[in-house]
Amino acid sequence: MQKFALIGAGFIGSVHAHNLASHPDVDFKLVYDIDLQRATTLAAQHGATAAASLDQIFENNDLDAVFIASSTDSHAQNLRHAADAGLAALVEKPIDLDLETAKSTVAYVERAGIKAMVNFNRRFDRAHAELKELVHTGQIGDVALLQLTSRGPALPPVDYLKSSGGQFRDQAVHFYDLARWITGQDPVKIHAYGSALAAPEIAEFGDVDTSISSLLFPDGALAQIDCVRHTNYGYDERIEALGSEGMAESERQRSGHVTLLQGQQAQSHGLHGNWFDRVQPTYAASLGAFVQSLEDDREVPITLREGLKSQAIAQAAVRSAASGRSETIDYSL
Amino acid sequence: MQKFALIGAGFIGSVHAHNLASHPDVDFKLVYDIDLQRATTLAAQHGATAAASLDQIFENNDLDAVFIASSTDSHAQNLRHAADAGLAALVEKPIDLDLETAKSTVAYVERAGIKAMVNFNRRFDRAHAELKELVHTGQIGDVALLQLTSRGPALPPVDYLKSSGGQFRDQAVHFYDLARWITGQDPVKIHAYGSALAAPEIAEFGDVDTSISSLLFPDGALAQIDCVRHTNYGYDERIEALGSEGMAESERQRSGHVTLLQGQQAQSHGLHGNWFDRVQPTYAASLGAFVQSLEDDREVPITLREGLKSQAIAQAAVRSAASGRSETIDYSL
Amino acid sequence: MQKFALIGAGFIGSVHAHNLASHPDVDFKLVYDIDLQRATTLAAQHGATAAASLDQIFENNDLDAVFIASSTDSHAQNLRHAADAGLAALVEKPIDLDLETAKSTVAYVERAGIKAMVNFNRRFDRAHAELKELVHTGQIGDVALLQLTSRGPALPPVDYLKSSGGQFRDQAVHFYDLARWITGQDPVKIHAYGSALAAPEIAEFGDVDTSISSLLFPDGALAQIDCVRHTNYGYDERIEALGSEGMAESERQRSGHVTLLQGQQAQSHGLHGNWFDRVQPTYAASLGAFVQSLEDDREVPITLREGLKSQAIAQAAVRSAASGRSETIDYSL
Amino acid sequence: MQKFALIGAGFIGSVHAHNLASHPDVDFKLVYDIDLQRATTLAAQHGATAAASLDQIFENNDLDAVFIASSTDSHAQNLRHAADAGLAALVEKPIDLDLETAKSTVAYVERAGIKAMVNFNRRFDRAHAELKELVHTGQIGDVALLQLTSRGPALPPVDYLKSSGGQFRDQAVHFYDLARWITGQDPVKIHAYGSALAAPEIAEFGDVDTSISSLLFPDGALAQIDCVRHTNYGYDERIEALGSEGMAESERQRSGHVTLLQGQQAQSHGLHGNWFDRVQPTYAASLGAFVQSLEDDREVPITLREGLKSQAIAQAAVRSAASGRSETIDYSL
């Protein structure tokens, strides 16, 4: 049984609270939020207690782990506190939007020796995980080409985008991570184009809503990643992996199973109307994998260092979009 | 808030217990089972109390409703007790395998005036419900032909089959009910063929594992229902409704979203490996609809009388399989 | 090289003329039609000669085979002429709408010893043929259940229907034949319901436009066949064969490969707008198989006797629709 | 009626010969090939005459048009001859592998004023054409992102590759053309990565077998093109066009319509085993469009100048693969 505190009681925090409360090996103790009322409400829903301050979490002798789901700019600080307190930590990505800060945080945490995992939840998508397994068991031979599609249904609030770090660091980074995970390789070069098409106003703060990234792996394998913020046709996420022996895909997923045939047309359920309907199950699975690594005293499935690597790719994508060059990815930590 | 007792702590009882405990408007109080230990264990998992006898349920002044999920031969008696106690009742089908007993039970319950619903859970399948809505809002015009497919992955235990009432009364009856519900009509005639192919030994007690039923509706519309106990390719349930203006279907549902393409073939996820993976969500939805009718003091969505009608169809199917005739369905109650 | 004459220059005759002219082993010599002008025009398009009378065909010493695609009521007479003339014959179904006439014709033709084939062209549908091969090579184990769907997009002209012999003999008969061919068995019993829903007026001459047939095979296997004249959503033809080891299907075929995703919906190509778009390739394949049997001096792939058997099933279907009984099929010839 | 000569009697020449012979408005007169025997055989199959020399074509007063399907290095010379002779010309791409030679040839041909079309046959794929129509009629709003997939089943002979101009100029160029055609815009920048994975030996002559191209359009729209020579799972060609209002796709096409369901898997027809099964219909359609423009005396559907533009994109792709930069596309002619 692992005793958990949760930091952050916003939308995604409430998802994690539900999963913490439902996990049979988790004792969900505390919730902290900068808005105490929000923490109190969420804690009450799940039989936990609201913490009035972070000290109640980090100076607590009766906790095993902390789930950091607070605002991005507090991730690094909370990780350092967890390291000081000897608490295992599961942290939402990114570790910090500033890569240098992220690196020094990881170094700090590693010295402390706590178990710490970055929450790249999409690795726990059941179909993506099956695809990865097909690749890793040699079903498609040597990987030659990946195609990753990441398209959200509608533009998030501009306020969110402003503090998100931009499309490459916020959205594409999940797929850089998936590309590394599926191939088992770190790409060496990246090229990216990006445009602000659905929301030209976000170009003012340097963001884009439509982008394509090309990756080159050490053995010559290639990857394409297309990221769109606003599809107007639902949430479209899928992966193809083509290898020397065949191709595996994690397919587009429809939101239902009814078709109406009339005249010359067939009208079917389209895709999920929002991202959460599609990715919801990944959060419980991700938490479950983290808890299992604590129970078994094994390495966490996604180390902070892996988080840094995917962030380094995103950083190179940002550079490429500006320079018009294929950029070498710098993994020095 | 509705205070519930559950009768029956077997597999399906445990599903209901979970749903009762999770429903925000249900106060899950008591569990009874002929095996007290089983009731105690299940009650403990969901914060309820085990009842040592049925009297604790039916002579209890602090209950609103009872969920009857005990063995089939006790349904009628439990319904009568609920009627005497003035408790609303949600009962698994059938009311009783003997149609005359079922009829007299319904008459008794109706006289008592309690709310009572028979749990034809498949009406709460999301895709089937969308199909029914398309039909009832005129999207396909006048219904001309229904095709209902009900195929289970593997033969249930022979002991289960022996007490099930046979394929027409146990399996096909759900689809007779769906056919009535989708068309909004009561069929007038039925013809059925049945064979014991996967398990010839069940013919000894008069059962079949593969059957086809043909229904004729008052306006000339037709329905075909195929029922198979043992597909060897998973759980296959789907419905087509063809009308004067087009066709709607609740499609076959695959168990996953990964495809492997190699050489000249595409290998994909097949169907769900067992019925429960497919129908699980219907149980919570069915309970939810029953609770809502209690909260709103409205008629339950599926009256016992509707249960009798579908059972009357099954009874005529059994007669037809024996007589080789198209049998008129007798709805007199 | 086989020298052919074609009898009948209507729509389907023109399809056959094209296939005869395109076949590398066919020397397409003559075309006859009761309308000489029509024969002349069709012959000219394909480098053949119009025959002013049937005598030019049946008293011709320079022909090997005749393709009988004239009106149904002339099939038997033309078959007898071919038998007298020693010409191989490929005849559109039925041999004759009157089963007794058909039987005596077959007996006459068999005595003459010519090669004669009835044109159940759907056996040459590529997908149906693959399904049959899967079944015959044991891929699904022992057949337990067939589901055959035959749905036309729109009601044929009432004049056509009047002389067609009715839905069971005209449309369903193709699928009775497919059921025999796929299972490799002759069904022993049939039950049928039929209604005139799209065109109530055809009930006046005893026809139906929506029907369901249930077949029972000697080993207990079952088949369902649904026939619809007017879908309003295109041409829908497909087959499922379920056996002890799995299920094979010849799937519904869409008319194109474009999908438009918008909002919550996916709008795709529906089915073929008319039957001919779907079945066209079967005619050339059927002719090809007949020609091959002539070239190799082997038995034709579908004997007239097989045509009689499927017609006997249709006859029993008609009886069942009238009697309300499961009818035993009489194959005595 | 247009009188045609065909230059080139190889595999693709034989396809064109069949289409020329079948077209109702074409009088197929002459076939030339450097191998006279090959020309003679092909001509005989289609009622045409073999030309012993090119002079018989270009000094012939009884011709309207020439179809140039000879080896790539002779395209430019044959185009100039056609211009001199005043013959309309349909030429396989490319005009010449050397872009400067191609430009001067186009200038020469334009001065002569003949109708000349480059055979980008994939524009005549029915599904691609429907997609383009959906885009041009505003069904998806403003184009934001194109995804084009071009994957061949197996590596062509290395001898073919050596003289092909490389994957960008030989294979990708078709999809650069489709991207221009669908968007109605000329891209301004391109970035490309390429690897020789299936056949490392082709790197010796500077070719690749796996490549990804990224295009940037003037309005910020983006396109991704993936090209693979060797899939080992069949011929996979498809297009997605995502716009401000939704998404349209020309889908992956399977080679058949049979599925076998067993245990937990569904095994279906994969893709076409070779490119020709998929693209065959485009050749007749392309020829038909060219003939129609001659009959109507209208501009040909794809001018040589359009061919130059797509070739200019390919040229920039080659530069980018070498430079590691996003390259500006130079359309100056």
Side-chain angles (χ1 to χ4, degrees):
Chain A
M1 187 68 71
Q2 304 293 327
K3 294 172 194 155
F4 267 75
L6 170 67
I7 302 178
F11 171 69
I12 203 66
S14 72
V15 172
H16 298 323
H18 175 85
N19 293 334
L20 287 165
S22 304
H23 196 296
D25 296 328
V26 166
D27 183 4
F28 182 22
K29 308 284 279 190
L30 290 169
V31 181
Y32 172 81
D33 195 274
I34 48 169
D35 177 344
L36 177 59
Q37 184 54 51
R38 201 159 67 162
T40 305
T41 304
L42 187 61
Q45 283 168 8
H46 297 290
T49 305
S53 73
L54 283 169
D55 290 352
Q56 281 184 255
I57 289 171
F58 292 118
E59 298 180 2
N60 188 322
N61 291 320
D62 196 31
L63 283 177
D64 299 301
V66 63
F67 199 146
I68 303 171
S70 49
S71 66
T72 294
D73 57 9
S74 68
H75 289 181
Q77 193 59 38
N78 283 324
L79 272 174
R80 283 169 181 262
H81 285 319
D84 292 345
L87 294 178
L90 174 55
V91 64
E92 285 295 314
K93 60 95 195 163
I95 295 159
D96 194 273
L97 280 174
D98 178 69
L99 185 54
E100 292 312 311
T101 304
K103 284 181 185 177
S104 61
T105 302
V106 173
Y108 186 93
V109 169
E110 287 182 346
R111 280 194 299 275
I114 62 165
K115 289 196 196 313
M117 165 169 157
V118 64
N119 198 17
F120 278 131
N121 58 300
R122 274 168 181 84
R123 289 200 193 185
F124 298 92
D125 179 274
R126 201 186 119 208
H128 296 349
E130 288 184 24
L131 170 72
K132 184 255 184 187
E133 197 61 23
L134 288 173
V135 173
H136 282 234
T137 55
Q139 303 295 303
I140 64 162
D142 297 326
V143 174
L145 178 73
L146 291 189
Q147 176 72 42
L148 301 104
T149 295
S150 167
R151 302 181 190 159
L155 207 72
V158 170
D159 276 355
Y160 170 83
L161 294 178
K162 266 185 186 153
S163 63
S164 73
Q167 192 177 36
F168 295 111
R169 276 182 284 221
D170 180 56
Q171 182 179 0
V173 70
H174 278 289
F175 296 84
Y176 301 146
D177 177 67
L178 291 175
R180 291 182 55 249
W181 178 60
I182 292 167
T183 58
Q185 296 181 54
D186 293 327
V188 290
K189 286 179 179 291
I190 188 166
H191 176 272
Y193 283 133
S195 297
L197 298 174
E201 67 273 26
I202 68 174
E204 286 173 30
F205 49 89
D207 203 357
V208 296
D209 53 34
T210 308
S211 67
I212 53 181
S213 301
S214 303
L215 301 178
L216 175 66
F217 288 86
D219 65 356
L222 302 170
Q224 282 186 314
I225 297 165
D226 80 79
C227 284
V228 173
R229 289 283 194 193
H230 173 84
T231 65
N232 213 26
Y233 71 87
Y235 185 78
D236 193 357
E237 176 173 323
R238 51 202 147 97
I239 306 175
E240 290 179 30
L242 183 149
S244 52
E245 307 295 331
M247 202 265 274
E249 57 181 335
S250 169
E251 304 163 4
R252 185 185 293 158
Q253 295 184 16
R254 296 166 56 201
S255 63
H257 297 88
V258 174
T259 290
L260 178 64
L261 293 134
Q262 276 179 323
Q264 295 304 297
Q265 298 206 302
Q267 189 175 294
S268 302
H269 272 274
L271 310 191
H272 293 289
N274 67 68
W275 67 275
F276 190 66
D277 291 348
R278 171 75 161 80
V279 308
Q280 179 174 19
T282 64
Y283 289 110
S286 170
L287 173 64
F290 178 65
V291 170
Q292 195 64 45
S293 69
L294 302 188
E295 293 275 306
D296 298 349
D297 196 16
R298 284 189 289 101
E299 193 180 25
V300 297
I302 318 177
T303 64
L304 296 188
R305 199 161 282 265
E306 291 208 69
L308 285 184
K309 284 186 170 182
S310 297
Q311 196 168 344
I313 302 172
Q315 202 72 16
V318 172
R319 286 203 310 276
S320 173
S323 73
R325 301 189 62 92
S326 166
E327 294 282 345
T328 298
I329 301 160
D330 176 10
Y331 293 109
S332 64
L333 300 184
Chain B
M1 187 67 72
Q2 304 293 326
K3 294 171 193 156
F4 267 76
L6 170 67
I7 302 177
F11 170 69
I12 202 66
S14 72
V15 172
H16 299 323
H18 174 85
N19 293 333
L20 287 163
S22 305
H23 195 297
D25 296 329
V26 166
D27 184 4
F28 182 23
K29 309 284 279 189
L30 290 170
V31 181
Y32 172 81
D33 195 274
I34 49 169
D35 177 343
L36 177 59
Q37 184 54 51
R38 201 159 67 163
T40 305
T41 304
L42 186 62
Q45 284 168 9
H46 297 290
T49 304
S53 73
L54 283 170
D55 289 353
Q56 280 185 254
I57 289 171
F58 292 117
E59 297 181 3
N60 188 322
N61 290 322
D62 197 31
L63 283 176
D64 298 302
V66 62
F67 198 147
I68 303 170
S70 48
S71 65
T72 294
D73 57 8
S74 67
H75 289 182
Q77 192 60 36
N78 282 324
L79 273 173
R80 283 170 180 261
H81 284 321
D84 292 345
L87 294 176
L90 174 54
V91 63
E92 285 295 315
K93 62 91 194 163
I95 295 160
D96 194 90
L97 281 174
D98 179 69
L99 185 53
E100 292 311 311
T101 304
K103 284 181 185 177
S104 61
T105 302
V106 173
Y108 187 92
V109 169
E110 288 182 347
R111 280 194 298 275
I114 63 165
K115 288 196 197 310
M117 166 169 156
V118 63
N119 198 18
F120 278 132
N121 58 300
R122 275 169 180 82
R123 289 199 192 185
F124 297 92
D125 178 276
R126 203 187 119 208
H128 296 349
E130 287 184 25
L131 170 72
K132 184 255 184 187
E133 197 60 22
L134 287 173
V135 173
H136 283 234
T137 56
Q139 303 295 302
I140 64 161
D142 297 326
V143 175
L145 179 73
L146 292 189
Q147 176 72 42
L148 301 106
T149 294
S150 167
R151 302 181 190 160
L155 206 73
V158 170
D159 275 355
Y160 169 83
L161 294 178
K162 266 186 185 151
S163 63
S164 73
Q167 192 178 37
F168 296 110
R169 276 181 284 220
D170 180 56
Q171 182 179 359
V173 70
H174 278 287
F175 297 82
Y176 301 146
D177 177 68
L178 291 174
R180 290 183 56 248
W181 178 60
I182 291 167
T183 58
Q185 296 181 53
D186 294 328
V188 289
K189 285 178 179 291
I190 188 167
H191 176 272
Y193 284 133
S195 298
L197 297 174
E201 67 273 25
I202 67 175
E204 287 174 29
F205 50 89
D207 203 357
V208 295
D209 53 34
T210 307
S211 67
I212 53 180
S213 302
S214 302
L215 301 178
L216 174 65
F217 288 86
D219 65 357
L222 302 171
Q224 283 187 313
I225 296 165
D226 79 79
C227 283
V228 172
R229 289 283 193 193
H230 173 84
T231 64
N232 212 27
Y233 72 87
Y235 186 77
D236 193 357
E237 176 173 322
R238 51 203 147 98
I239 306 175
E240 290 179 29
L242 184 149
S244 53
E245 306 296 331
M247 203 266 275
E249 57 181 335
S250 169
E251 304 163 3
R252 185 186 292 158
Q253 295 185 16
R254 295 168 55 203
S255 62
H257 296 89
V258 175
T259 290
L260 179 64
L261 292 134
Q262 276 179 323
Q264 294 304 297
Q265 299 206 299
Q267 190 174 293
S268 301
H269 272 276
L271 309 192
H272 293 289
N274 67 69
W275 67 275
F276 190 66
D277 290 349
R278 171 75 161 78
V279 308
Q280 179 173 19
T282 64
Y283 289 109
S286 169
L287 173 65
F290 178 65
V291 170
Q292 195 63 46
S293 69
L294 301 187
E295 293 276 306
D296 297 349
D297 196 15
R298 283 189 290 100
E299 193 180 25
V300 296
I302 317 176
T303 63
L304 298 187
R305 200 161 282 264
E306 293 209 68
L308 285 185
K309 284 186 169 183
S310 297
Q311 195 169 345
I313 302 173
Q315 201 73 15
V318 171
R319 285 203 312 275
S320 173
S323 73
R325 301 190 63 91
S326 165
E327 295 281 344
T328 298
I329 302 161
D330 176 10
Y331 294 109
S332 64
L333 300 183
Chain C
M1 188 69 69
Q2 304 292 326
K3 294 171 194 156
F4 266 75
L6 170 66
I7 303 178
F11 171 70
I12 203 65
S14 72
V15 172
H16 298 323
H18 174 84
N19 292 334
L20 287 164
S22 304
H23 196 297
D25 296 329
V26 165
D27 184 4
F28 182 22
K29 308 285 279 188
L30 291 168
V31 181
Y32 172 81
D33 195 274
I34 48 169
D35 177 343
L36 178 59
Q37 185 53 53
R38 200 158 68 163
T40 304
T41 303
L42 187 62
Q45 284 168 9
H46 297 291
T49 304
S53 73
L54 283 170
D55 290 351
Q56 279 186 255
I57 288 171
F58 292 118
E59 297 180 2
N60 187 323
N61 290 321
D62 196 32
L63 283 177
D64 298 303
V66 62
F67 198 145
I68 303 171
S70 49
S71 66
T72 294
D73 57 9
S74 67
H75 288 181
Q77 193 58 38
N78 282 324
L79 272 173
R80 283 169 180 262
H81 284 320
D84 292 345
L87 294 177
L90 175 53
V91 63
E92 285 295 314
K93 61 92 195 164
I95 295 160
D96 195 273
L97 281 174
D98 178 71
L99 185 54
E100 293 311 312
T101 303
K103 284 181 184 177
S104 61
T105 303
V106 173
Y108 187 93
V109 169
E110 287 182 346
R111 279 195 300 273
I114 63 165
K115 288 197 198 310
M117 166 169 156
V118 64
N119 198 18
F120 278 132
N121 58 300
R122 274 169 181 83
R123 288 199 194 186
F124 298 93
D125 179 275
R126 201 185 120 207
H128 295 350
E130 288 185 24
L131 170 72
K132 185 255 184 187
E133 196 61 23
L134 288 173
V135 173
H136 282 234
T137 55
Q139 303 295 303
I140 64 161
D142 297 326
V143 175
L145 179 73
L146 291 189
Q147 175 71 42
L148 301 104
T149 294
S150 166
R151 303 182 190 159
L155 206 72
V158 170
D159 275 354
Y160 169 83
L161 294 178
K162 267 186 185 152
S163 63
S164 73
Q167 191 178 37
F168 296 111
R169 275 181 283 220
D170 180 56
Q171 181 179 0
V173 70
H174 278 288
F175 297 83
Y176 300 147
D177 178 67
L178 291 174
R180 289 183 56 248
W181 178 60
I182 291 167
T183 58
Q185 296 181 53
D186 294 327
V188 289
K189 285 178 179 291
I190 188 167
H191 176 271
Y193 284 133
S195 298
L197 297 174
E201 66 273 25
I202 68 174
E204 286 173 30
F205 50 89
D207 203 358
V208 295
D209 53 35
T210 308
S211 68
I212 53 180
S213 301
S214 303
L215 300 178
L216 174 66
F217 289 86
D219 65 357
L222 303 170
Q224 282 187 314
I225 296 165
D226 79 79
C227 283
V228 173
R229 289 283 193 193
H230 173 84
T231 65
N232 213 26
Y233 72 87
Y235 186 79
D236 193 357
E237 176 174 322
R238 51 203 146 97
I239 305 176
E240 291 179 29
L242 184 150
S244 52
E245 307 296 332
M247 202 265 275
E249 57 180 335
S250 169
E251 303 163 3
R252 186 186 292 158
Q253 295 185 16
R254 296 167 55 202
S255 62
H257 297 89
V258 174
T259 290
L260 178 64
L261 292 134
Q262 276 179 322
Q264 295 304 296
Q265 298 206 301
Q267 190 174 294
S268 303
H269 273 275
L271 309 192
H272 294 288
N274 68 69
W275 66 275
F276 190 67
D277 291 348
R278 172 73 163 80
V279 308
Q280 179 173 20
T282 64
Y283 289 110
S286 170
L287 174 64
F290 178 65
V291 171
Q292 195 62 47
S293 68
L294 301 187
E295 293 275 306
D296 297 349
D297 196 16
R298 284 189 290 99
E299 193 180 26
V300 296
I302 318 177
T303 63
L304 297 188
R305 200 162 281 266
E306 292 208 67
L308 286 184
K309 284 186 169 183
S310 297
Q311 195 168 344
I313 302 173
Q315 202 72 16
V318 172
R319 285 203 311 275
S320 172
S323 73
R325 301 189 63 92
S326 164
E327 294 282 344
T328 298
I329 302 162
D330 176 10
Y331 294 109
S332 64
L333 299 184
Chain D
M1 187 68 71
Q2 304 293 327
K3 294 171 195 157
F4 266 76
L6 170 66
I7 302 178
F11 170 70
I12 202 66
S14 73
V15 172
H16 299 323
H18 174 85
N19 292 334
L20 287 165
S22 305
H23 196 296
D25 297 329
V26 166
D27 184 3
F28 182 22
K29 308 284 279 188
L30 290 169
V31 180
Y32 171 81
D33 195 274
I34 48 169
D35 177 345
L36 178 59
Q37 185 54 51
R38 201 158 67 163
T40 305
T41 303
L42 187 61
Q45 283 168 9
H46 297 290
T49 304
S53 73
L54 282 170
D55 289 352
Q56 280 186 253
I57 289 171
F58 292 118
E59 297 180 3
N60 187 323
N61 290 322
D62 196 31
L63 283 176
D64 299 304
V66 62
F67 198 146
I68 302 170
S70 50
S71 66
T72 294
D73 57 9
S74 68
H75 289 182
Q77 193 57 38
N78 282 324
L79 272 173
R80 284 170 180 262
H81 285 319
D84 292 344
L87 294 176
L90 174 54
V91 63
E92 286 295 313
K93 62 92 194 164
I95 295 160
D96 193 275
L97 280 174
D98 179 69
L99 185 55
E100 292 312 311
T101 303
K103 285 182 183 175
S104 62
T105 302
V106 172
Y108 187 91
V109 169
E110 288 182 346
R111 280 195 298 274
I114 61 164
K115 288 197 196 312
M117 165 168 156
V118 63
N119 198 17
F120 278 132
N121 57 300
R122 274 168 181 82
R123 289 200 193 184
F124 297 93
D125 178 275
R126 201 186 121 207
H128 295 350
E130 288 184 25
L131 170 72
K132 184 255 186 187
E133 196 62 22
L134 287 173
V135 172
H136 282 235
T137 55
Q139 302 296 302
I140 65 160
D142 297 327
V143 174
L145 179 73
L146 291 190
Q147 176 71 41
L148 301 104
T149 294
S150 166
R151 302 182 190 159
L155 207 72
V158 169
D159 275 355
Y160 170 83
L161 294 178
K162 266 186 185 151
S163 63
S164 74
Q167 191 177 38
F168 295 112
R169 277 181 282 221
D170 180 56
Q171 181 179 0
V173 69
H174 278 288
F175 296 83
Y176 300 148
D177 177 68
L178 290 175
R180 290 183 56 250
W181 178 60
I182 292 167
T183 59
Q185 296 183 54
D186 294 328
V188 290
K189 286 178 178 291
I190 187 167
H191 176 271
Y193 284 133
S195 297
L197 298 174
E201 67 273 24
I202 68 175
E204 287 173 30
F205 50 90
D207 203 358
V208 296
D209 53 34
T210 308
S211 68
I212 54 181
S213 301
S214 303
L215 301 177
L216 175 66
F217 289 86
D219 65 357
L222 302 170
Q224 283 186 314
I225 297 166
D226 79 80
C227 283
V228 173
R229 288 283 193 193
H230 173 84
T231 63
N232 212 27
Y233 72 88
Y235 185 77
D236 193 357
E237 175 174 323
R238 51 203 147 97
I239 305 175
E240 289 179 31
L242 184 149
S244 53
E245 306 296 332
M247 202 266 274
E249 57 181 334
S250 169
E251 304 163 4
R252 185 186 293 158
Q253 295 185 16
R254 295 167 55 202
S255 62
H257 297 88
V258 175
T259 290
L260 178 64
L261 293 135
Q262 277 179 320
Q264 294 305 296
Q265 298 207 303
Q267 191 174 294
S268 302
H269 273 274
L271 309 192
H272 293 290
N274 68 69
W275 67 275
F276 190 66
D277 291 348
R278 171 75 161 78
V279 308
Q280 179 173 18
T282 65
Y283 289 109
S286 170
L287 172 65
F290 178 64
V291 171
Q292 195 63 46
S293 69
L294 301 187
E295 293 275 306
D296 298 349
D297 196 16
R298 284 188 288 102
E299 193 180 26
V300 296
I302 317 176
T303 63
L304 297 187
R305 200 161 281 266
E306 292 209 68
L308 286 184
K309 284 186 169 182
S310 297
Q311 195 168 345
I313 302 172
Q315 202 72 17
V318 172
R319 285 203 311 275
S320 173
S323 73
R325 300 190 63 91
S326 165
E327 295 282 343
T328 299
I329 302 161
D330 176 10
Y331 294 109
S332 64
L333 300 185

